[in-house]
Amino acid sequence: MGKIRLNENPDIVKSVREGLKKTGGYCPCRQERTEAYKCICQEFKDQLADSKFEGYCHCMLYYKEK
């Protein structure tokens, strides 16, 4: 698995983290509050498992490098 890091833009990190606090840890970009959207969301976990994937999670908080 590649390296996972925070977005290099501190404003995005701050905004998403504030959103996570307001939603109790659920992705602030999603309307539903299900376990699949609990940070780190299932979508990004699936992407992490893909050795060919490189990019941001849905809310742009995390980035996976190859």
Side-chain angles (χ1 to χ4, degrees):
M1 179 165 52
K3 180 180 175 186
I4 302 166
R5 62 172 171 79
L6 287 174
N7 190 316
E8 62 280 348
N9 184 325
D11 293 332
I12 290 175
V13 172
K14 181 181 177 189
S15 177
V16 174
R17 284 187 167 164
E18 287 173 358
L20 286 167
K21 286 179 188 176
K22 291 177 184 176
T23 63
Y26 294 95
C27 182
C29 306
R30 311 274 188 167
Q31 294 294 319
E32 294 180 68
R33 301 290 181 250
T34 66
E35 283 304 306
Y37 297 141
K38 190 87 168 182
C39 190
I40 293 176
C41 68
Q42 188 60 50
E43 178 184 359
F44 195 54
K45 287 178 185 176
D46 293 344
Q47 291 169 329
L48 293 175
D50 180 356
S51 63
K52 296 177 183 172
F53 175 80
E54 180 171 12
Y56 287 102
C57 67
H58 181 80
C59 68
M60 308 266 309
L61 178 62
Y62 295 109
Y63 185 87
K64 179 196 171 202
E65 300 174 354
K66 284 188 180 179

